[in-house]
């Protein structure tokens, strides 16, 4: 299979996205097309296209009077993201149950949990946080529904950045995330569907790890 090289737009998208998720571009910071073009050595047009894609994925916000900025998190956005995940994970779990895919789901979640465990080295990194979202995404992937998978994929970095923001400097919070994933997996394995729904709900509605401060 011939693999096409990234276009300038794709390169710009990946470079700017990486600067956002590593917080080289801090939350709320202004995005100047001219500055990014100069810093990245890419012309203005691909930079604009990349920013437009990042806006569609929720990582960039267009403020009418001040242009494009990296997103910021507040209670409303966090609640919306959590509600979206609850509906998505619960709905996909229901689909797996109806299609007799519970065993396949359990095996996939076990793989994702193992990846999460192997990535943890005592420090919170964005790579580790991606494995936590990848566990949640396992409910979607187990359905083998391309449309749902694409929708989840388009919000993957937004969800990961939100988790990174919430758990930063609070070691117990991301350790509890791992334990909750273990609990969800065990309930999936036992086939107690009502308890799975409750575990997903609890996992995504607790607020004890959110301090409401923009970092």
């Amino acid at each position: 299979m011939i693999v096409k090289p990234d276009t300038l737009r794709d390169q710009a998208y990946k470079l700017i996205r990486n600067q956002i998720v590593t917080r080289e571009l801090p939350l709320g910071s202004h995005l100047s097309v001219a500055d990014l073009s100069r810093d990245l050595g890419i012309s203005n047009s691909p930079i604009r296209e990349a920013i437009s894609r990042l806006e569609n994925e929720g990582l960039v916000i267009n403020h009418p009077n001040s242009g494009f900025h990296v997103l910021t998190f507040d209670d409303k956005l966090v609640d919306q993201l959590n509600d979206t995940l609850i509906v998505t994970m619960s709905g996909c779990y229901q689909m797996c149950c109806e299609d007799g895919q519970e065993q396949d789901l359990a095996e996939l979640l076990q793989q994702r949990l193992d990846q999460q465990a192997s990535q943890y080295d005592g420090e919170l990194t964005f790579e580790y946080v991606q494995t936590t979202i990848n566990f949640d995404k396992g409910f979607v992937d187990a359905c083998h529904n391309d449309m749902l998978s694409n929708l989840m994929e388009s919000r993957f970095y937004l969800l990961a950045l939100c988790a990174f923001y919430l758990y930063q400097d609070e070691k117990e919070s991301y350790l509890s995330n791992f334990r909750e994933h273990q609990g969800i997996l065990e309930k999936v394995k036992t086939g107690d569907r009502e308890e799975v729904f409750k575990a997903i709900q609890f996992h995504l509605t607790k607020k004890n790890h959110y301090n409401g401060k923009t970092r």
Side-chain angles (χ1 to χ4, degrees):
M1 181 179 66
I2 297 175
V3 179
K4 295 181 180 179
D6 286 345
T7 64
L8 286 176
R9 177 193 60 194
D10 293 335
Q11 292 178 36
Y13 163 77
K14 290 177 181 178
L15 288 168
I16 299 171
R17 185 191 68 192
N18 186 63
Q19 289 183 348
I20 292 173
V21 299
T22 60
R23 296 189 296 181
E24 183 178 343
L25 287 170
L27 298 179
S29 59
H30 178 252
L31 297 179
S32 164
V33 172
D35 290 346
L36 288 168
S37 177
R38 182 190 65 247
D39 295 343
L40 300 178
I42 298 175
S43 61
N44 286 355
S45 182
I47 295 293
R48 290 193 185 94
E49 292 176 350
I51 289 176
S52 178
R53 180 176 173 184
L54 290 164
E55 181 186 10
N56 289 335
E57 294 180 358
L59 293 175
V60 168
I61 305 297
N62 185 9
H63 296 296
N65 297 322
S66 56
F68 292 102
H69 291 73
V70 178
L71 86 161
T72 56
F73 290 104
D74 56 23
D75 285 334
K76 180 179 179 180
L77 178 56
V78 172
D79 286 343
Q80 288 177 344
L81 289 172
N82 285 338
D83 288 346
T84 299
L85 269 180
I86 289 171
V87 172
T88 303
M89 292 169 66
S90 298
C92 287
Y93 176 62
Q94 182 67 34
M95 289 172 62
C96 286
C97 293
E98 292 173 355
D99 294 340
Q101 299 294 322
E102 291 170 277
Q103 181 61 39
D104 291 343
L105 172 62
E107 292 175 358
L108 179 59
L109 292 180
Q110 183 65 66
Q111 293 173 11
R112 301 287 172 90
L113 189 68
D114 291 343
Q115 292 170 358
Q116 185 177 347
S118 67
Q119 188 65 51
Y120 179 66
D121 62 0
E123 297 293 332
L124 182 64
T125 63
F126 192 74
E127 289 73 18
Y128 172 77
V129 169
Q130 288 182 79
T131 66
T132 72
I133 302 302
N134 213 31
F135 177 92
D136 298 339
K137 184 173 175 285
F139 283 85
V140 177
D141 294 338
C143 291
H144 304 292
N145 183 304
D146 291 341
M147 185 171 291
L148 284 171
S149 294
N150 289 336
L151 286 171
M152 183 70 172
E153 193 66 36
S154 71
R155 291 294 182 267
F156 182 84
Y157 285 96
L158 174 60
L159 292 167
L161 185 61
C162 181
F164 194 40
Y165 165 73
L166 291 175
Y167 298 151
Q168 187 68 26
D169 302 325
E170 297 183 26
K171 184 175 180 179
E172 182 55 34
S173 291
Y174 55 89
L175 290 178
S176 67
N177 174 281
F178 180 79
R179 290 192 291 267
E180 288 162 18
H181 281 174
Q182 287 179 311
I184 291 172
L185 174 57
E186 288 306 311
K187 291 175 175 59
V188 170
K189 287 180 176 179
T190 60
D192 191 335
R193 298 178 182 182
E194 189 62 33
E195 288 302 312
V196 173
F197 291 127
K198 288 180 180 179
I200 291 172
Q201 181 84 17
F202 172 79
H203 177 57
L204 293 164
T205 54
K206 64 189 189 308
K207 294 294 192 300
N208 59 306
H209 59 284
Y210 177 52
N211 62 19
K213 297 179 181 179
T214 300
R215 299 176 190 272

